[in-house]
């Protein structure tokens, strides 16, 4: 049985490393230009080379996003950019524009091409067309059901791979082809600069009274009629496996290291459990519980089980649910002293109840009884961003382990 790929987002080099160490088979990244997440930190050429080396040395893959819809002014630099990245050893380029595909086939013919979800592929005829143009994998539109995906699989050659998003933010517009951001802010969503106006609160204005705004009452909290819930298919692993997909994709290049690591490891556990015993597979609620411990909106299964309906939208708020704080990353561990060197990411202090997670187990809890600065001086609190501190550990830990703190578990 060919094992399905778990594909994770990586907004920068650090996130790439965490994604791979926590269970991703491949990651997708963006350069400083020509990807659809301009607000992410993204990758310099130097970081690309380091990321590829890190991934390949562990048997993992790296895909580069080139999926903007370019205008004439983009083309000259796009061509030189492709010539540079085409020599780096990427496992695939993700693109949506036919002209970009043509140039990639010309100057980097050995690099696989994956068709972005931005191309709105919703049927097997279109998928076959792109495959005949040299596309190895089609990333299907988010608006497809499991039944439709299975039909595409049955009507396309096995040499064409199929990929679909299974987790993360959803776009109100068809597969992300949005013009609202351009209209409202002048920021082009199709060139990586979306301002996310679908998450804003709206009021009604009558044409002859432009200074008088009237609420559109969805709930007492406001009106968010463009605002989608986040996608989560952790409960649908058997159905995803049976659909014929080759790759399951997580959204979130602008999310935190903690988000990437924890979501990836939950899906990794679920996928591995399925392969260990497909007939006896049992969904574990703790996988979903772990996913809910990262910043998220309420969840939906999107279009997988049929058309999205009113239950797929959020009407009360566009805010994220944040029940846990990501407070630190283990840099090293001294097994003799049982002390970890921690790089702080959010404020925490002596007396706090914390949880430590790693790639191979979900978590253990402990209380921070003592804390020292990098020079060994006792301190009560770690308030400075990326401050190096030493914390005694109840159990052994390792580099890249993550510390988190439940918001309700704060002393005082």
């Amino acid at each position: 049985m060919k094992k399905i790929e778990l594909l994770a987002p990586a907004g920068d080099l650090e996130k790439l490393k965490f994604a791979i160490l926590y269970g991703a088979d491949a990651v997708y990244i963006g350069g400083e230009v020509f990807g659809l997440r301009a607000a992410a930190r993204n990758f310099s050429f130097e970081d690309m080379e380091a990321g590829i080396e890190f991934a390949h040395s562990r048997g993992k893959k790296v895909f580069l996003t080139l999926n903007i819809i370019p205008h004439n002014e983009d083309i000259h630099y796009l061509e030189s950019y492709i010539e540079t990245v085409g020599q780096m050893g990427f496992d695939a380029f993700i693109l949506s524009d036919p002209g970009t595909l043509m140039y990639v086939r010309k100057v980097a013919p050995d690099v696989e091409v994956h068709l972005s979800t931005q191309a709105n592929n919703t049927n097997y005829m279109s998928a076959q067309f792109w495959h005949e143009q040299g596309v190895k994998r089609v990333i299907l539109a988010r608006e497809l059901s499991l039944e439709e995906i299975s039909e595409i699989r049955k009507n396309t050659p096995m040499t064409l791979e199929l990929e679909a998003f299974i987790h993360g933010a959803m776009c109100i517009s068809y597969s992300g082809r949005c013009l609202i951001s351009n209209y409202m802010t002048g920021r082009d969503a199709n060139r990586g600069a979306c301002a996310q106006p679908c998450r804003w609160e709206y009021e009604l204005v009558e044409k002859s009274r432009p200074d008088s705004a009237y609420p559109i009452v969805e709930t007492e909290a406001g009106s968010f009629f463009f605002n989608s819930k986040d996608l989560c298919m952790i409960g649908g692993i058997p159905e995803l496996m049976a659909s014929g997909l080759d790759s399951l994709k997580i959204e979130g290049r602008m999310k935190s290291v903690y988000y990437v690591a924890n979501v990836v490891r939950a899906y990794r556990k679920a996928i591995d459990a399925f392969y260990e015993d497909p007939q006896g597979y049992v969904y574990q609620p703790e996988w979903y519980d772990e996913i809910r411990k990262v910043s998220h909106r309420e969840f939906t299964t999107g279009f997988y089980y049929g058309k999205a309906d009113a239950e797929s939208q959020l009407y009360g708020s566009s805010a994220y649910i944040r029940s846990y704080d990501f407070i630190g990353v283990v840099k090293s561990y001294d097994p003799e002293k049982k002390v970890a060197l921690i790089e702080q990411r959010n404020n925490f202090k002596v007396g706090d109840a914390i949880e430590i997670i790693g790639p191979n187990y979900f978590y253990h809890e402990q209380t921070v009884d003592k804390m020292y600065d990098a020079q060994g001086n006792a301190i009560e609190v770690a308030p400075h961003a990326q401050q190096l501190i030493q914390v005694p550990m109840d159990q052994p830990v390792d580099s890249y382990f993550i510390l988190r703190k439940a918001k309700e578990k704060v002393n005082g």
Side-chain angles (χ1 to χ4, degrees), residues 75-232:
I75 291 176
H76 175 72
Y77 186 47
L78 176 63
E79 291 176 348
S80 62
Y81 181 77
I82 292 171
E83 289 172 3
T84 300
V85 297
Q87 308 301 316
M88 287 188 176
F90 282 104
D91 297 282
F93 292 155
I94 302 170
L95 52 83
S96 58
D97 172 65
T100 305
L101 170 62
M102 179 180 68
Y103 198 77
V104 166
R105 297 266 50 85
K106 176 182 176 182
V107 302
D110 296 329
V111 181
E112 271 189 21
V113 173
H114 297 176
L115 186 72
S116 171
T117 190
Q118 294 293 117
N120 311 135
N121 202 120
T122 58
N123 63 78
Y124 57 79
M125 184 171 61
S126 178
Q128 179 63 36
F129 166 82
W130 285 109
H131 191 37
E132 291 175 3
Q133 310 314 307
V135 169
K136 173 69 173 177
R137 177 185 297 184
V138 168
I139 305 167
L140 297 170
R142 286 180 173 90
E143 294 77 19
L144 295 178
S145 67
L146 287 162
E147 183 179 355
E148 289 175 299
I149 292 170
S150 295
E151 188 174 1
I152 291 173
R153 177 71 289 167
K154 291 173 184 175
N155 289 279
T156 51
M158 294 306 295
T159 50
L160 175 65
E161 296 178 356
L162 301 178
E163 175 182 310
F165 281 94
I166 59 164
H167 192 92
M170 295 282 280
C171 181
I172 189 65
S173 296
Y174 211 92
S175 286
R177 297 291 288 268
C178 182
L179 297 176
I180 304 175
S181 181
N182 299 55
Y183 178 76
M184 301 288 283
T185 69
R187 290 169 53 179
D188 192 340
N190 299 306
R191 297 168 86 184
C194 183
Q196 292 197 323
C198 56
R199 308 294 181 186
W200 299 351
E201 183 177 2
Y202 287 89
E203 293 179 327
L204 179 68
V205 176
E206 196 275 323
K207 183 177 180 180
S208 65
R209 298 174 178 84
D211 296 328
S212 299
Y214 303 92
I216 308 168
V217 181
E218 288 182 311
T219 70
E220 292 180 358
S223 300
F224 303 89
F225 48 80
F226 292 140
N227 188 35
S228 174
K229 293 181 180 179
D230 284 355
L231 179 64
C232 178

Side-chain angles (χ1 to χ4, degrees), residues 56 68 87 132 150-151 160 172 176 195 199 235 240 246 252 270 285 295 297 304 329 343 350 355-356:
H56 286 180
I68 70 161
Q87 308 301 316
E132 291 175 3
S150 295
E151 188 174 1
L160 175 65
I172 189 65
R199 308 294 181 186
L240 290 167
D246 297 281
S295 177
R297 300 180 183 91
Y304 278 108
V329 172
E343 184 179 84
V350 171
E355 296 177 2
I356 299 96

Side-chain angles (χ1 to χ4, degrees), residues 258 262 265 289-290 293 323-330 342 348 352-358 361-368 393 397 401-409:
Y258 170 52
N262 208 31
R265 76 193 187 112
D289 292 340
E290 278 298 298
K293 290 182 180 181
S323 58
Y324 275 74
D325 287 328
F326 165 38
I327 60 173
V329 172
V330 175
I342 309 294
F348 69 103
D352 281 348
I354 65 171
E355 296 177 2
I356 299 96
I357 68 172
Y361 66 93
F362 264 33
Y363 67 89
H364 74 263
E365 298 180 355
Q366 73 168 68
T367 299
V368 179
M393 290 284 128
V397 294
F401 278 35
I402 287 173
L403 280 63
R404 67 188 181 198
K405 179 178 67 174
K407 287 183 179 294
E408 67 272 17
K409 292 184 179 180

